[in-house]
PDB file of all heavy atoms in Angstrom:
ATOM      1  N   LEU F   1       5.842 -72.297  -7.542  1.00  0.00           N
ATOM      2  CA  LEU F   1       5.302 -70.950  -7.370  1.00  0.00           C
ATOM      3  C   LEU F   1       5.417 -70.496  -5.913  1.00  0.00           C
ATOM      4  O   LEU F   1       5.838 -69.378  -5.612  1.00  0.00           O
ATOM      5  CB  LEU F   1       3.824 -70.927  -7.836  1.00  0.00           C
ATOM      6  CG  LEU F   1       3.139 -69.565  -7.911  1.00  0.00           C
ATOM      7  CD1 LEU F   1       3.838 -68.663  -8.945  1.00  0.00           C
ATOM      8  CD2 LEU F   1       1.672 -69.747  -8.321  1.00  0.00           C
ATOM      9  N   SER F   2       5.037 -71.388  -4.972  1.00  0.00           N
ATOM     10  CA  SER F   2       5.119 -71.072  -3.562  1.00  0.00           C
ATOM     11  C   SER F   2       6.553 -70.745  -3.138  1.00  0.00           C
ATOM     12  O   SER F   2       6.768 -69.793  -2.374  1.00  0.00           O
ATOM     13  CB  SER F   2       4.600 -72.234  -2.727  1.00  0.00           C
ATOM     14  OG  SER F   2       3.258 -72.507  -3.005  1.00  0.00           O
ATOM     15  N   ASN F   3       7.492 -71.488  -3.623  1.00  0.00           N
ATOM     16  CA  ASN F   3       8.886 -71.289  -3.286  1.00  0.00           C
ATOM     17  C   ASN F   3       9.351 -69.895  -3.734  1.00  0.00           C
ATOM     18  O   ASN F   3       9.957 -69.128  -2.986  1.00  0.00           O
ATOM     19  CB  ASN F   3       9.727 -72.361  -3.941  1.00  0.00           C
ATOM     20  CG  ASN F   3      11.197 -72.290  -3.543  1.00  0.00           C
ATOM     21  OD1 ASN F   3      11.535 -72.206  -2.375  1.00  0.00           O
ATOM     22  ND2 ASN F   3      12.067 -72.293  -4.530  1.00  0.00           N
ATOM     23  N   ALA F   4       9.044 -69.545  -4.974  1.00  0.00           N
ATOM     24  CA  ALA F   4       9.518 -68.267  -5.546  1.00  0.00           C
ATOM     25  C   ALA F   4       8.871 -67.060  -4.885  1.00  0.00           C
ATOM     26  O   ALA F   4       9.540 -66.023  -4.720  1.00  0.00           O
ATOM     27  CB  ALA F   4       9.252 -68.249  -7.036  1.00  0.00           C
ATOM     28  N   LEU F   5       7.578 -67.143  -4.543  1.00  0.00           N
ATOM     29  CA  LEU F   5       6.880 -65.972  -4.026  1.00  0.00           C
ATOM     30  C   LEU F   5       7.324 -65.593  -2.608  1.00  0.00           C
ATOM     31  O   LEU F   5       6.996 -64.519  -2.116  1.00  0.00           O
ATOM     32  CB  LEU F   5       5.371 -66.197  -4.066  1.00  0.00           C
ATOM     33  CG  LEU F   5       4.771 -66.289  -5.458  1.00  0.00           C
ATOM     34  CD1 LEU F   5       3.254 -66.331  -5.384  1.00  0.00           C
ATOM     35  CD2 LEU F   5       5.213 -65.137  -6.339  1.00  0.00           C
ATOM     36  N   GLN F   6       8.081 -66.478  -1.975  1.00  0.00           N
ATOM     37  CA  GLN F   6       8.584 -66.145  -0.647  1.00  0.00           C
ATOM     38  C   GLN F   6       9.658 -65.080  -0.674  1.00  0.00           C
ATOM     39  O   GLN F   6      10.163 -64.692   0.367  1.00  0.00           O
ATOM     40  CB  GLN F   6       9.051 -67.400   0.066  1.00  0.00           C
ATOM     41  CG  GLN F   6       7.850 -68.293   0.459  1.00  0.00           C
ATOM     42  CD  GLN F   6       8.258 -69.472   1.314  1.00  0.00           C
ATOM     43  OE1 GLN F   6       8.470 -69.357   2.502  1.00  0.00           O
ATOM     44  NE2 GLN F   6       8.396 -70.621   0.680  1.00  0.00           N
ATOM     45  N   GLN F   7      10.039 -64.642  -1.871  1.00  0.00           N
ATOM     46  CA  GLN F   7      10.919 -63.492  -1.965  1.00  0.00           C
ATOM     47  C   GLN F   7      10.309 -62.263  -1.299  1.00  0.00           C
ATOM     48  O   GLN F   7      11.003 -61.428  -0.700  1.00  0.00           O
ATOM     49  CB  GLN F   7      11.241 -63.149  -3.434  1.00  0.00           C
ATOM     50  CG  GLN F   7      11.986 -64.216  -4.183  1.00  0.00           C
ATOM     51  CD  GLN F   7      12.132 -63.854  -5.637  1.00  0.00           C
ATOM     52  OE1 GLN F   7      12.579 -62.738  -5.995  1.00  0.00           O
ATOM     53  NE2 GLN F   7      11.769 -64.750  -6.527  1.00  0.00           N
ATOM     54  N   LYS F   8       8.971 -62.134  -1.420  1.00  0.00           N
ATOM     55  CA  LYS F   8       8.287 -60.983  -0.867  1.00  0.00           C
ATOM     56  C   LYS F   8       7.099 -61.319   0.014  1.00  0.00           C
ATOM     57  O   LYS F   8       6.530 -60.400   0.645  1.00  0.00           O
ATOM     58  CB  LYS F   8       7.791 -60.070  -2.018  1.00  0.00           C
ATOM     59  CG  LYS F   8       8.892 -59.367  -2.784  1.00  0.00           C
ATOM     60  CD  LYS F   8       8.304 -58.361  -3.780  1.00  0.00           C
ATOM     61  CE  LYS F   8       9.377 -57.628  -4.553  1.00  0.00           C
ATOM     62  NZ  LYS F   8       8.791 -56.665  -5.520  1.00  0.00           N
ATOM     63  N   LEU F   9       6.674 -62.565   0.035  1.00  0.00           N
ATOM     64  CA  LEU F   9       5.436 -62.944   0.716  1.00  0.00           C
ATOM     65  C   LEU F   9       5.663 -64.067   1.709  1.00  0.00           C
ATOM     66  O   LEU F   9       6.613 -64.839   1.587  1.00  0.00           O
ATOM     67  CB  LEU F   9       4.364 -63.352  -0.303  1.00  0.00           C
ATOM     68  CG  LEU F   9       3.987 -62.272  -1.339  1.00  0.00           C
ATOM     69  CD1 LEU F   9       3.187 -62.894  -2.479  1.00  0.00           C
ATOM     70  CD2 LEU F   9       3.197 -61.168  -0.698  1.00  0.00           C
ATOM     71  N   ILE F  10       4.743 -64.182   2.684  1.00  0.00           N
ATOM     72  CA  ILE F  10       4.808 -65.211   3.707  1.00  0.00           C
ATOM     73  C   ILE F  10       3.840 -66.328   3.330  1.00  0.00           C
ATOM     74  O   ILE F  10       2.674 -66.111   3.028  1.00  0.00           O
ATOM     75  CB  ILE F  10       4.396 -64.627   5.067  1.00  0.00           C
ATOM     76  CG1 ILE F  10       5.353 -63.492   5.481  1.00  0.00           C
ATOM     77  CG2 ILE F  10       4.391 -65.732   6.145  1.00  0.00           C
ATOM     78  CD1 ILE F  10       4.809 -62.653   6.632  1.00  0.00           C
ATOM     79  N   LEU F  11       4.329 -67.591   3.342  1.00  0.00           N
ATOM     80  CA  LEU F  11       3.520 -68.739   3.020  1.00  0.00           C
ATOM     81  C   LEU F  11       2.617 -69.156   4.171  1.00  0.00           C
ATOM     82  O   LEU F  11       3.090 -69.286   5.297  1.00  0.00           O
ATOM     83  CB  LEU F  11       4.427 -69.908   2.616  1.00  0.00           C
ATOM     84  CG  LEU F  11       3.726 -71.221   2.283  1.00  0.00           C
ATOM     85  CD1 LEU F  11       2.882 -71.080   1.017  1.00  0.00           C
ATOM     86  CD2 LEU F  11       4.748 -72.342   2.111  1.00  0.00           C
ATOM     87  N   LEU F  12       1.329 -69.342   3.873  1.00  0.00           N
ATOM     88  CA  LEU F  12       0.349 -69.842   4.850  1.00  0.00           C
ATOM     89  C   LEU F  12      -0.030 -71.275   4.508  1.00  0.00           C
ATOM     90  O   LEU F  12       0.304 -71.767   3.409  1.00  0.00           O
ATOM     91  CB  LEU F  12      -0.886 -68.963   4.839  1.00  0.00           C
ATOM     92  CG  LEU F  12      -0.893 -67.667   5.670  1.00  0.00           C
ATOM     93  CD1 LEU F  12       0.182 -66.705   5.206  1.00  0.00           C
ATOM     94  CD2 LEU F  12      -2.254 -66.979   5.607  1.00  0.00           C
ATOM     95  N   PRO F  13      -0.759 -71.974   5.386  1.00  0.00           N
ATOM     96  CA  PRO F  13      -1.169 -73.357   5.071  1.00  0.00           C
ATOM     97  C   PRO F  13      -2.015 -73.400   3.812  1.00  0.00           C
ATOM     98  O   PRO F  13      -2.878 -72.570   3.584  1.00  0.00           O
ATOM     99  CB  PRO F  13      -2.006 -73.755   6.279  1.00  0.00           C
ATOM    100  CG  PRO F  13      -1.472 -72.919   7.393  1.00  0.00           C
ATOM    101  CD  PRO F  13      -1.147 -71.601   6.735  1.00  0.00           C
ATOM    102  N   GLU F  14      -1.751 -74.410   2.966  1.00  0.00           N
ATOM    103  CA  GLU F  14      -2.545 -74.597   1.773  1.00  0.00           C
ATOM    104  C   GLU F  14      -3.896 -75.200   2.116  1.00  0.00           C
ATOM    105  O   GLU F  14      -4.058 -75.823   3.185  1.00  0.00           O
ATOM    106  CB  GLU F  14      -1.818 -75.473   0.747  1.00  0.00           C
ATOM    107  CG  GLU F  14      -1.883 -76.955   0.987  1.00  0.00           C
ATOM    108  CD  GLU F  14      -0.842 -77.435   1.984  1.00  0.00           C
ATOM    109  OE1 GLU F  14      -0.346 -76.639   2.792  1.00  0.00           O
ATOM    110  OE2 GLU F  14      -0.487 -78.627   1.978  1.00  0.00           O
ATOM    111  N   VAL F  15      -4.850 -75.024   1.219  1.00  0.00           N
ATOM    112  CA  VAL F  15      -6.169 -75.608   1.380  1.00  0.00           C
ATOM    113  C   VAL F  15      -6.476 -76.363   0.054  1.00  0.00           C
ATOM    114  O   VAL F  15      -6.059 -75.889  -1.024  1.00  0.00           O
ATOM    115  CB  VAL F  15      -7.244 -74.519   1.607  1.00  0.00           C
ATOM    116  CG1 VAL F  15      -8.651 -75.049   1.447  1.00  0.00           C
ATOM    117  CG2 VAL F  15      -7.055 -73.890   2.982  1.00  0.00           C
ATOM    118  N   PHE F  16      -7.138 -77.493   0.127  1.00  0.00           N
ATOM    119  CA  PHE F  16      -7.410 -78.278  -1.079  1.00  0.00           C
ATOM    120  C   PHE F  16      -8.872 -78.227  -1.484  1.00  0.00           C
ATOM    121  O   PHE F  16      -9.768 -78.500  -0.673  1.00  0.00           O
ATOM    122  CB  PHE F  16      -7.039 -79.736  -0.874  1.00  0.00           C
ATOM    123  CG  PHE F  16      -5.536 -79.978  -0.844  1.00  0.00           C
ATOM    124  CD1 PHE F  16      -4.915 -80.276   0.348  1.00  0.00           C
ATOM    125  CD2 PHE F  16      -4.789 -79.869  -1.991  1.00  0.00           C
ATOM    126  CE1 PHE F  16      -3.548 -80.500   0.383  1.00  0.00           C
ATOM    127  CE2 PHE F  16      -3.415 -80.063  -1.959  1.00  0.00           C
ATOM    128  CZ  PHE F  16      -2.809 -80.377  -0.767  1.00  0.00           C
ATOM    129  N   TRP F  17      -9.113 -77.854  -2.723  1.00  0.00           N
ATOM    130  CA  TRP F  17     -10.429 -77.988  -3.341  1.00  0.00           C
ATOM    131  C   TRP F  17     -10.433 -79.344  -4.035  1.00  0.00           C
ATOM    132  O   TRP F  17      -9.711 -79.553  -5.002  1.00  0.00           O
ATOM    133  CB  TRP F  17     -10.680 -76.851  -4.319  1.00  0.00           C
ATOM    134  CG  TRP F  17     -11.820 -77.069  -5.264  1.00  0.00           C
ATOM    135  CD1 TRP F  17     -12.924 -77.820  -5.052  1.00  0.00           C
ATOM    136  CD2 TRP F  17     -11.985 -76.494  -6.582  1.00  0.00           C
ATOM    137  NE1 TRP F  17     -13.757 -77.768  -6.166  1.00  0.00           N
ATOM    138  CE2 TRP F  17     -13.213 -76.977  -7.074  1.00  0.00           C
ATOM    139  CE3 TRP F  17     -11.196 -75.628  -7.348  1.00  0.00           C
ATOM    140  CZ2 TRP F  17     -13.675 -76.627  -8.377  1.00  0.00           C
ATOM    141  CZ3 TRP F  17     -11.657 -75.265  -8.600  1.00  0.00           C
ATOM    142  CH2 TRP F  17     -12.882 -75.755  -9.096  1.00  0.00           C
ATOM    143  N   CYS F  18     -11.233 -80.298  -3.504  1.00  0.00           N
ATOM    144  CA  CYS F  18     -11.296 -81.650  -4.054  1.00  0.00           C
ATOM    145  C   CYS F  18     -12.554 -81.797  -4.927  1.00  0.00           C
ATOM    146  O   CYS F  18     -13.629 -81.336  -4.534  1.00  0.00           O
ATOM    147  CB  CYS F  18     -11.305 -82.665  -2.925  1.00  0.00           C
ATOM    148  SG  CYS F  18      -9.829 -82.651  -1.887  1.00  0.00           S
ATOM    149  N   GLN F  19     -12.374 -82.425  -6.055  1.00  0.00           N
ATOM    150  CA  GLN F  19     -13.494 -82.600  -7.015  1.00  0.00           C
ATOM    151  C   GLN F  19     -13.876 -84.091  -7.068  1.00  0.00           C
ATOM    152  O   GLN F  19     -13.036 -84.939  -7.222  1.00  0.00           O
ATOM    153  CB  GLN F  19     -13.070 -82.096  -8.396  1.00  0.00           C
ATOM    154  CG  GLN F  19     -12.708 -80.621  -8.419  1.00  0.00           C
ATOM    155  CD  GLN F  19     -11.934 -80.216  -9.661  1.00  0.00           C
ATOM    156  OE1 GLN F  19     -10.751 -80.547  -9.790  1.00  0.00           O
ATOM    157  NE2 GLN F  19     -12.587 -79.509 -10.558  1.00  0.00           N
ATOM    158  N   ASP F  20     -15.179 -84.317  -6.964  1.00  0.00           N
ATOM    159  CA  ASP F  20     -15.659 -85.716  -7.060  1.00  0.00           C
ATOM    160  C   ASP F  20     -16.777 -85.889  -8.074  1.00  0.00           C
ATOM    161  O   ASP F  20     -17.513 -86.866  -8.057  1.00  0.00           O
ATOM    162  CB  ASP F  20     -16.123 -86.220  -5.691  1.00  0.00           C
ATOM    163  CG  ASP F  20     -17.365 -85.524  -5.198  1.00  0.00           C
ATOM    164  OD1 ASP F  20     -17.782 -84.511  -5.767  1.00  0.00           O
ATOM    165  OD2 ASP F  20     -17.968 -85.988  -4.209  1.00  0.00           O
ATOM    166  N   ASP F  21     -16.897 -84.902  -8.978  1.00  0.00           N
ATOM    167  CA  ASP F  21     -17.962 -84.960  -9.962  1.00  0.00           C
ATOM    168  C   ASP F  21     -17.402 -85.091 -11.372  1.00  0.00           C
ATOM    169  O   ASP F  21     -18.058 -84.718 -12.361  1.00  0.00           O
ATOM    170  CB  ASP F  21     -18.846 -83.670  -9.863  1.00  0.00           C
ATOM    171  CG  ASP F  21     -18.016 -82.403 -10.050  1.00  0.00           C
ATOM    172  OD1 ASP F  21     -16.814 -82.433  -9.825  1.00  0.00           O
ATOM    173  OD2 ASP F  21     -18.611 -81.374 -10.414  1.00  0.00           O
ATOM    174  N   ILE F  22     -16.196 -85.652 -11.486  1.00  0.00           N
ATOM    175  CA  ILE F  22     -15.539 -85.792 -12.789  1.00  0.00           C
ATOM    176  C   ILE F  22     -15.299 -87.275 -13.053  1.00  0.00           C
ATOM    177  O   ILE F  22     -14.900 -88.019 -12.146  1.00  0.00           O
ATOM    178  CB  ILE F  22     -14.196 -85.036 -12.832  1.00  0.00           C
ATOM    179  CG1 ILE F  22     -14.400 -83.564 -12.450  1.00  0.00           C
ATOM    180  CG2 ILE F  22     -13.583 -85.108 -14.212  1.00  0.00           C
ATOM    181  CD1 ILE F  22     -13.131 -82.759 -12.300  1.00  0.00           C
ATOM    182  N   SER F  23     -15.520 -87.713 -14.287  1.00  0.00           N
ATOM    183  CA  SER F  23     -15.316 -89.116 -14.625  1.00  0.00           C
ATOM    184  C   SER F  23     -13.829 -89.469 -14.588  1.00  0.00           C
ATOM    185  O   SER F  23     -12.972 -88.684 -15.015  1.00  0.00           O
ATOM    186  CB  SER F  23     -15.852 -89.413 -16.030  1.00  0.00           C
ATOM    187  OG  SER F  23     -17.241 -89.165 -16.095  1.00  0.00           O
ATOM    188  N   ILE F  24     -13.506 -90.648 -14.061  1.00  0.00           N
ATOM    189  CA  ILE F  24     -12.131 -91.101 -13.980  1.00  0.00           C
ATOM    190  C   ILE F  24     -11.701 -91.769 -15.289  1.00  0.00           C
ATOM    191  O   ILE F  24     -12.437 -92.594 -15.843  1.00  0.00           O
ATOM    192  CB  ILE F  24     -11.933 -92.102 -12.816  1.00  0.00           C
ATOM    193  CG1 ILE F  24     -12.325 -91.432 -11.492  1.00  0.00           C
ATOM    194  CG2 ILE F  24     -10.530 -92.607 -12.754  1.00  0.00           C
ATOM    195  CD1 ILE F  24     -12.303 -92.376 -10.296  1.00  0.00           C
ATOM    196  N   ALA F  25     -10.526 -91.369 -15.783  1.00  0.00           N
ATOM    197  CA  ALA F  25     -10.000 -91.970 -16.993  1.00  0.00           C
ATOM    198  C   ALA F  25      -8.904 -92.946 -16.654  1.00  0.00           C
ATOM    199  O   ALA F  25      -8.120 -92.729 -15.735  1.00  0.00           O
ATOM    200  CB  ALA F  25      -9.429 -90.861 -17.904  1.00  0.00           C
ATOM    201  N   PRO F  26      -8.781 -94.065 -17.383  1.00  0.00           N
ATOM    202  CA  PRO F  26      -7.835 -95.140 -17.032  1.00  0.00           C
ATOM    203  C   PRO F  26      -6.431 -94.865 -17.561  1.00  0.00           C
ATOM    204  O   PRO F  26      -5.838 -95.674 -18.266  1.00  0.00           O
ATOM    205  CB  PRO F  26      -8.465 -96.362 -17.710  1.00  0.00           C
ATOM    206  CG  PRO F  26      -9.138 -95.811 -18.935  1.00  0.00           C
ATOM    207  CD  PRO F  26      -9.677 -94.466 -18.508  1.00  0.00           C
ATOM    208  N   TYR F  27      -5.880 -93.716 -17.204  1.00  0.00           N
ATOM    209  CA  TYR F  27      -4.513 -93.376 -17.655  1.00  0.00           C
ATOM    210  C   TYR F  27      -3.514 -94.449 -17.203  1.00  0.00           C
ATOM    211  O   TYR F  27      -3.521 -94.862 -16.045  1.00  0.00           O
ATOM    212  CB  TYR F  27      -4.062 -92.027 -17.064  1.00  0.00           C
ATOM    213  CG  TYR F  27      -4.936 -90.848 -17.453  1.00  0.00           C
ATOM    214  CD1 TYR F  27      -5.319 -89.935 -16.499  1.00  0.00           C
ATOM    215  CD2 TYR F  27      -5.397 -90.678 -18.749  1.00  0.00           C
ATOM    216  CE1 TYR F  27      -6.107 -88.833 -16.822  1.00  0.00           C
ATOM    217  CE2 TYR F  27      -6.207 -89.587 -19.097  1.00  0.00           C
ATOM    218  CZ  TYR F  27      -6.568 -88.670 -18.129  1.00  0.00           C
ATOM    219  OH  TYR F  27      -7.351 -87.594 -18.435  1.00  0.00           O
ATOM    220  N   GLY F  28      -2.667 -94.896 -18.116  1.00  0.00           N
ATOM    221  CA  GLY F  28      -1.604 -95.837 -17.779  1.00  0.00           C
ATOM    222  C   GLY F  28      -2.072 -97.246 -17.467  1.00  0.00           C
ATOM    223  O   GLY F  28      -1.273 -98.086 -17.009  1.00  0.00           O
ATOM    224  N   TYR F  29      -3.364 -97.549 -17.712  1.00  0.00           N
ATOM    225  CA  TYR F  29      -3.869 -98.823 -17.275  1.00  0.00           C
ATOM    226  C   TYR F  29      -3.015-100.012 -17.784  1.00  0.00           C
ATOM    227  O   TYR F  29      -2.708-100.077 -18.982  1.00  0.00           O
ATOM    228  CB  TYR F  29      -5.324 -99.015 -17.753  1.00  0.00           C
ATOM    229  CG  TYR F  29      -5.868-100.385 -17.429  1.00  0.00           C
ATOM    230  CD1 TYR F  29      -6.055-100.734 -16.103  1.00  0.00           C
ATOM    231  CD2 TYR F  29      -6.101-101.324 -18.391  1.00  0.00           C
ATOM    232  CE1 TYR F  29      -6.529-102.005 -15.749  1.00  0.00           C
ATOM    233  CE2 TYR F  29      -6.565-102.620 -18.097  1.00  0.00           C
ATOM    234  CZ  TYR F  29      -6.771-102.951 -16.748  1.00  0.00           C
ATOM    235  OH  TYR F  29      -7.215-104.209 -16.431  1.00  0.00           O
ATOM    236  N   GLY F  30      -2.684-100.849 -16.852  1.00  0.00           N
ATOM    237  CA  GLY F  30      -1.913-102.059 -17.198  1.00  0.00           C
ATOM    238  C   GLY F  30      -0.410-101.862 -17.271  1.00  0.00           C
ATOM    239  O   GLY F  30       0.330-102.840 -17.375  1.00  0.00           O
ATOM    240  N   ASN F  31       0.039-100.608 -17.235  1.00  0.00           N
ATOM    241  CA  ASN F  31       1.457-100.344 -17.414  1.00  0.00           C
ATOM    242  C   ASN F  31       2.127 -99.559 -16.273  1.00  0.00           C
ATOM    243  O   ASN F  31       3.228 -99.855 -15.860  1.00  0.00           O
ATOM    244  CB  ASN F  31       1.678 -99.589 -18.727  1.00  0.00           C
ATOM    245  CG  ASN F  31       1.393-100.433 -19.953  1.00  0.00           C
ATOM    246  OD1 ASN F  31       2.061-101.418 -20.193  1.00  0.00           O
ATOM    247  ND2 ASN F  31       0.349-100.051 -20.679  1.00  0.00           N
ATOM    248  N   THR F  32       1.432 -98.513 -15.769  1.00  0.00           N
ATOM    249  CA  THR F  32       2.063 -97.702 -14.734  1.00  0.00           C
ATOM    250  C   THR F  32       1.019 -96.831 -14.038  1.00  0.00           C
ATOM    251  O   THR F  32      -0.152 -96.818 -14.436  1.00  0.00           O
ATOM    252  CB  THR F  32       3.181 -96.823 -15.302  1.00  0.00           C
ATOM    253  OG1 THR F  32       3.939 -96.269 -14.230  1.00  0.00           O
ATOM    254  CG2 THR F  32       2.623 -95.699 -16.191  1.00  0.00           C
ATOM    255  N   TRP F  33       1.435 -96.130 -13.029  1.00  0.00           N
ATOM    256  CA  TRP F  33       0.543 -95.275 -12.222  1.00  0.00           C
ATOM    257  C   TRP F  33       0.556 -93.864 -12.758  1.00  0.00           C
ATOM    258  O   TRP F  33       1.572 -93.202 -12.818  1.00  0.00           O
ATOM    259  CB  TRP F  33       0.997 -95.335 -10.755  1.00  0.00           C
ATOM    260  CG  TRP F  33       0.657 -94.177  -9.875  1.00  0.00           C
ATOM    261  CD1 TRP F  33       1.524 -93.354  -9.245  1.00  0.00           C
ATOM    262  CD2 TRP F  33      -0.670 -93.705  -9.522  1.00  0.00           C
ATOM    263  NE1 TRP F  33       0.857 -92.404  -8.495  1.00  0.00           N
ATOM    264  CE2 TRP F  33      -0.488 -92.607  -8.665  1.00  0.00           C
ATOM    265  CE3 TRP F  33      -1.943 -94.117  -9.859  1.00  0.00           C
ATOM    266  CZ2 TRP F  33      -1.551 -91.929  -8.120  1.00  0.00           C
ATOM    267  CZ3 TRP F  33      -3.020 -93.421  -9.326  1.00  0.00           C
ATOM    268  CH2 TRP F  33      -2.824 -92.362  -8.456  1.00  0.00           C
ATOM    269  N   VAL F  34      -0.624 -93.401 -13.172  1.00  0.00           N
ATOM    270  CA  VAL F  34      -0.813 -91.981 -13.551  1.00  0.00           C
ATOM    271  C   VAL F  34      -2.181 -91.593 -12.987  1.00  0.00           C
ATOM    272  O   VAL F  34      -3.212 -92.173 -13.361  1.00  0.00           O
ATOM    273  CB  VAL F  34      -0.838 -91.785 -15.081  1.00  0.00           C
ATOM    274  CG1 VAL F  34      -0.963 -90.284 -15.408  1.00  0.00           C
ATOM    275  CG2 VAL F  34       0.411 -92.358 -15.701  1.00  0.00           C
ATOM    276  N   SER F  35      -2.205 -90.607 -12.086  1.00  0.00           N
ATOM    277  CA  SER F  35      -3.477 -90.262 -11.455  1.00  0.00           C
ATOM    278  C   SER F  35      -4.305 -89.347 -12.347  1.00  0.00           C
ATOM    279  O   SER F  35      -3.832 -88.713 -13.262  1.00  0.00           O
ATOM    280  CB  SER F  35      -3.240 -89.562 -10.127  1.00  0.00           C
ATOM    281  OG  SER F  35      -2.909 -88.200 -10.321  1.00  0.00           O
ATOM    282  N   ASN F  36      -5.596 -89.259 -12.017  1.00  0.00           N
ATOM    283  CA  ASN F  36      -6.472 -88.189 -12.531  1.00  0.00           C
ATOM    284  C   ASN F  36      -6.409 -87.096 -11.452  1.00  0.00           C
ATOM    285  O   ASN F  36      -6.782 -87.312 -10.313  1.00  0.00           O
ATOM    286  CB  ASN F  36      -7.918 -88.696 -12.638  1.00  0.00           C
ATOM    287  CG  ASN F  36      -8.145 -89.659 -13.782  1.00  0.00           C
ATOM    288  OD1 ASN F  36      -9.045 -89.477 -14.612  1.00  0.00           O
ATOM    289  ND2 ASN F  36      -7.342 -90.711 -13.871  1.00  0.00           N
ATOM    290  N   THR F  37      -5.880 -85.936 -11.840  1.00  0.00           N
ATOM    291  CA  THR F  37      -5.685 -84.865 -10.843  1.00  0.00           C
ATOM    292  C   THR F  37      -6.995 -84.171 -10.566  1.00  0.00           C
ATOM    293  O   THR F  37      -7.448 -83.322 -11.324  1.00  0.00           O
ATOM    294  CB  THR F  37      -4.629 -83.859 -11.339  1.00  0.00           C
ATOM    295  OG1 THR F  37      -3.421 -84.580 -11.656  1.00  0.00           O
ATOM    296  CG2 THR F  37      -4.329 -82.832 -10.269  1.00  0.00           C
ATOM    297  N   PHE F  38      -7.598 -84.543  -9.436  1.00  0.00           N
ATOM    298  CA  PHE F  38      -8.884 -84.000  -9.048  1.00  0.00           C
ATOM    299  C   PHE F  38      -8.790 -83.152  -7.807  1.00  0.00           C
ATOM    300  O   PHE F  38      -9.766 -82.985  -7.049  1.00  0.00           O
ATOM    301  CB  PHE F  38      -9.902 -85.133  -8.816  1.00  0.00           C
ATOM    302  CG  PHE F  38     -10.326 -85.879 -10.049  1.00  0.00           C
ATOM    303  CD1 PHE F  38     -10.985 -87.092  -9.963  1.00  0.00           C
ATOM    304  CD2 PHE F  38     -10.025 -85.384 -11.303  1.00  0.00           C
ATOM    305  CE1 PHE F  38     -11.402 -87.774 -11.100  1.00  0.00           C
ATOM    306  CE2 PHE F  38     -10.398 -86.067 -12.464  1.00  0.00           C
ATOM    307  CZ  PHE F  38     -11.089 -87.271 -12.367  1.00  0.00           C
ATOM    308  N   HIS F  39      -7.613 -82.624  -7.512  1.00  0.00           N
ATOM    309  CA  HIS F  39      -7.471 -81.692  -6.383  1.00  0.00           C
ATOM    310  C   HIS F  39      -6.720 -80.444  -6.866  1.00  0.00           C
ATOM    311  O   HIS F  39      -5.788 -80.537  -7.671  1.00  0.00           O
ATOM    312  CB  HIS F  39      -6.759 -82.324  -5.191  1.00  0.00           C
ATOM    313  CG  HIS F  39      -5.321 -82.634  -5.430  1.00  0.00           C
ATOM    314  ND1 HIS F  39      -4.900 -83.821  -6.010  1.00  0.00           N
ATOM    315  CD2 HIS F  39      -4.178 -81.949  -5.178  1.00  0.00           C
ATOM    316  CE1 HIS F  39      -3.594 -83.862  -6.097  1.00  0.00           C
ATOM    317  NE2 HIS F  39      -3.130 -82.724  -5.600  1.00  0.00           N
ATOM    318  N   GLN F  40      -7.157 -79.312  -6.376  1.00  0.00           N
ATOM    319  CA  GLN F  40      -6.533 -78.017  -6.679  1.00  0.00           C
ATOM    320  C   GLN F  40      -5.962 -77.429  -5.402  1.00  0.00           C
ATOM    321  O   GLN F  40      -6.592 -77.507  -4.375  1.00  0.00           O
ATOM    322  CB  GLN F  40      -7.574 -77.035  -7.254  1.00  0.00           C
ATOM    323  CG  GLN F  40      -8.550 -77.598  -8.241  1.00  0.00           C
ATOM    324  CD  GLN F  40      -8.002 -77.596  -9.662  1.00  0.00           C
ATOM    325  OE1 GLN F  40      -7.185 -76.797 -10.021  1.00  0.00           O
ATOM    326  NE2 GLN F  40      -8.527 -78.489 -10.503  1.00  0.00           N
ATOM    327  N   TYR F  41      -4.792 -76.847  -5.530  1.00  0.00           N
ATOM    328  CA  TYR F  41      -4.202 -76.138  -4.387  1.00  0.00           C
ATOM    329  C   TYR F  41      -4.784 -74.725  -4.315  1.00  0.00           C
ATOM    330  O   TYR F  41      -4.776 -73.990  -5.316  1.00  0.00           O
ATOM    331  CB  TYR F  41      -2.685 -75.980  -4.589  1.00  0.00           C
ATOM    332  CG  TYR F  41      -1.882 -77.239  -4.328  1.00  0.00           C
ATOM    333  CD1 TYR F  41      -1.739 -78.201  -5.289  1.00  0.00           C
ATOM    334  CD2 TYR F  41      -1.183 -77.399  -3.133  1.00  0.00           C
ATOM    335  CE1 TYR F  41      -0.984 -79.335  -5.100  1.00  0.00           C
ATOM    336  CE2 TYR F  41      -0.409 -78.495  -2.923  1.00  0.00           C
ATOM    337  CZ  TYR F  41      -0.298 -79.477  -3.888  1.00  0.00           C
ATOM    338  OH  TYR F  41       0.477 -80.588  -3.669  1.00  0.00           O
TER     339      TYR F  41
END
């Protein structure tokens, strides 16, 4: 989205909203790395 909007707009530094009040789920446990996405751009 950021890449495409530079057709008409100027990109500024992103800010992260981090969440720490959500239960973590064991995605991929024992097999591979899959994060719980708890940050929003």
Side-chain angles (χ1 to χ4, degrees):
L1 188 62
S2 298
N3 185 51
L5 293 187
Q6 289 187 79
Q7 296 175 52
K8 291 186 179 180
L9 300 167
I10 300 166
L11 178 66
L12 277 61
E14 80 277 23
V15 168
F16 288 109
W17 165 26
C18 298
Q19 298 164 287
D20 68 348
D21 58 337
I22 306 174
S23 298
I24 300 175
Y27 301 135
Y29 175 67
N31 292 295
T32 192
W33 155 240
V34 183
S35 81
N36 288 232
T37 305
F38 291 167
H39 67 274
Q40 317 275 334
Y41 284 81

